[in-house]
Amino acid sequence: MLNGRKIVLGLLTLVLLIGSAILAFGMAGYDLRSNHALAYGITTTDFYIPSSLDPWGTTFDSKGNVWLAIPGCDPAPTCSSDTPPGEIAEFNPATSSWIKTYQLPTGFAQPLFLAFDAQGRVWFPLPMGNSIGMFDPSNNTFKQWAVPTANAGPWDVAIDQNGKIWFTEHFTNKLGRFDPVTQTFKEVSTPASNSQPYGIVVDTSNNVWFTENNSSVALIGEYTSGGKLQEYKIRNSLSSGLTPHLMTVDSHGNIWWSEGWVGMIGELNIALAVPGTNNGVTEYAYNPPCSTCSGKHTSGISVDRNGLIWFADGEQEIFGSFPESGTGSFATYTTPTANGHPHDGLNVDGQNRVWFDEEFANKLAEAIQSGIPTPTVSPSPSPITILAEDTFQRANQVLWGTASDGKVWGGGANKLSAFSINNNMGQVSNGSGQYSALLGPTATDAEVLFSGSLSSFTKSNVGALLRRSDAQNWYKASINGVSLLIQKKVNSTLTLLSKTAFAATAGTSYTLRFSVVGATLSAKVWQTGSTEPANWMITVTDSSLLLGRCGINLQVQSTVTADITSFLATEPETKRSVEKENLYHWPGSHL
């Protein structure tokens, strides 16, 4: 199969190059019906990598430079044990030149994919070394940590909003997470014993999505911000070539993925999605221009700011686009170098330039879209300051004890017997009345994000606290089954500041975000695992309280159980956008 990829067919190459040129000018060509594609052209250039072989994944730093993983081998799915450590190369698009190549130290393996965290450190799984690696450009230092499960094959990587490093364990059918603060791992097994997780991405609600690459499984997995593993079918009947690879998230929060040997891309419409079914799934097929190639293989995938989903096909030697609206048609373009094998490294930067690896040509390729306005490059957002956090991932115990960030819960959480940790949840049960749990320091401007459920909303509610100085002074945003409310309690006097209708179902997990900046209080809530609303559902002003702690407050009856699955308190971004820039990374493999 590999030899077939590398056969140079001179006549075919000439035909494809001519076809590509015609497509670039939007004059004629294969399946060119997209309005986007007709409106502008594509100019492609490629650049030899500075050293080594077989470039793979790409990502971008805060300056807009392109970073490229160079394993020095072609994993299918592994490389020879005597392959030397790989490299990471940095490229400057402004000068079209390589800035520097970073050789991984002795004892490291080969990087496939890359992702930057908020501190400017680049993270990379090392599947052949069964470890997670990190390079800090500020001091030119490398570090690595061994994955707990032997021979796990950590593959693709993504970083969530809390700075946690997520990765797929391709060889042992698990999802992994590494916490750089505590330097601890968490692993979650998929229900299927042969799922072969591959691509991974984090959405704006901090849910982790991943592909299950084995054609006998072929599922889309989701590990929600509330800690629940859910799976979605792509088809009700499986196909031998359906091998979902890499992932991306569009501007509406919908999930897209490449489908490997079937030569398609897929979409999950979050609003219609139902775990265990293929509700909301649509697959889009492109007609392969090369009838003599050894099939189709869609792998790299990304999204630009004009609403186009971009993908690469290493067997057809093409890259192309399709409107995220789902209406319109494909536009495809031949890669700059024949038999270059564009693969898992396709990514779109902040200026809508499409970058991809040409693995067998040992090149990095750039495709510039012309005829459309070039977006202004926005500065990267400042890192979020975390005040307190708890994932509740610890042994069952009485009281809530010490949170996952090392801080000790206050309020009633470490005093009252109604509080406990049960099945990796913070639980309140067998109690009646008001209960408060506090975590982190006092703050003026702050935001709480938590997920949880109530077994019943009868005379019960659950909410977030801000500026809580004592039991008689606080702001609270809560749900009670029929409404989302913002209240204040000042010197024991309770006042309703605002409310809006919100129907909540007992036993269902909801995620609530509550913010205070100056005198402005804002709140929104949504079912955990669904897309976060773009706008605040309630905004109100009040200046009664100036300082206090963050936490959770519940009003429950003796028969009601509250389960809290996550808690995060931060200093808010005053210009928060649901569509955060530079949050995602979209990578994959030959499989």
Side-chain angles (χ1 to χ4, degrees), residues 48-55 68-74 83-89 101-103 110-111 358-363:
Y48 278 105
I49 61 177
S51 61
S52 195
L53 303 169
D54 297 306
L68 177 68
I70 308 175
C73 58
D74 179 31
T83 304
E87 299 176 350
I88 298 173
T101 301
Y102 304 92
Q103 175 67 57
Q110 298 77 36
E358 293 180 284
E359 186 193 358
F360 297 159
N362 295 313
K363 293 180 179 180

Side-chain angles (χ1 to χ4, degrees), residues 265-329:
I265 59 175
E267 176 193 13
L268 177 63
N269 185 323
I270 296 299
L272 304 176
V274 178
T277 76
N278 67 342
N279 292 4
V281 171
T282 306
E283 297 177 88
Y284 304 94
Y286 53 92
N287 295 323
C290 174
S291 60
T292 59
C293 293
S294 56
K296 302 164 285 187
H297 192 259
T298 322
S299 51
I301 192 166
S302 188
V303 61
D304 71 14
R305 297 188 180 190
N306 297 313
L308 290 177
I309 306 295
W310 289 87
F311 65 95
D313 185 321
E315 298 300 303
Q316 292 288 313
E317 305 292 341
I318 60 172
F319 67 102
S321 65
F322 182 77
E324 70 174 47
S325 64
T327 59
S329 297

Side-chain angles (χ1 to χ4, degrees), residues 102-123:
Y102 304 92
Q103 175 67 57
L104 272 63
T106 301
F108 280 63
Q110 298 77 36
L112 296 185
F113 299 108
L114 309 169
F116 274 96
D117 66 14
Q119 288 73 44
R121 302 171 298 190
V122 61
W123 294 83

Side-chain angles (χ1 to χ4, degrees), residues 210-293:
F210 60 98
T211 58
E212 298 185 37
N213 179 245
N214 191 330
S215 61
S216 67
V217 178
L219 296 172
I220 300 302
E222 177 193 19
Y223 190 74
T224 71
S225 59
K228 183 178 182 180
L229 179 64
Q230 302 181 147
E231 293 175 316
Y232 304 84
K233 294 181 180 180
I234 298 176
R235 302 177 183 176
N236 285 322
S237 58
L238 296 175
S239 164
S240 60
L242 180 57
T243 53
H245 271 57
L246 301 182
M247 312 191 83
T248 191
V249 184
D250 71 17
S251 61
H252 303 289
N254 296 322
I255 309 300
W256 293 76
W257 59 91
S258 52
E259 295 199 346
W261 298 108
V262 297
M264 304 174 77
I265 59 175
E267 176 193 13
L268 177 63
N269 185 323
I270 296 299
L272 304 176
V274 178
T277 76
N278 67 342
N279 292 4
V281 171
T282 306
E283 297 177 88
Y284 304 94
Y286 53 92
N287 295 323
C290 174
S291 60
T292 59
C293 293

Side-chain angles (χ1 to χ4, degrees), residues 59-63 67 88 90 102 114-124 134-141 159 163 165 380-383 582:
T59 193
F60 313 108
D61 64 20
S62 60
K63 299 176 183 177
W67 291 67
I88 298 173
E90 181 183 6
Y102 304 92
L114 309 169
F116 274 96
D117 66 14
Q119 288 73 44
R121 302 171 298 190
V122 61
W123 294 83
F124 46 93
M134 182 271 286
F135 173 64
D136 188 343
S138 68
N139 55 20
N140 288 324
T141 57
I159 301 177
I165 315 302
S380 297
S382 301
N582 302 324

Side-chain angles (χ1 to χ4, degrees), residues 428 452-458 460-463 479-481 505-510 554-556 560-564:
V428 177
S453 64
L454 291 180
S455 63
S456 171
F457 281 99
T458 301
S460 300
N461 64 72
V462 58
I479 53 173
N480 61 8
T505 303
T508 299
S509 178
Y510 295 95
L554 306 104
Q555 172 72 51
V556 293
V560 174
T561 297
D563 291 322
I564 308 299

Side-chain angles (χ1 to χ4, degrees), residues 184-209:
T184 56
F185 284 89
K186 172 186 171 133
E187 295 175 292
V188 180
S189 297
T190 63
S193 60
N194 59 343
S195 61
Q196 299 174 2
Y198 199 95
I200 191 170
V201 72
V202 180
D203 69 16
T204 53
S205 298
N206 220 29
N207 303 307
V208 180
W209 296 84

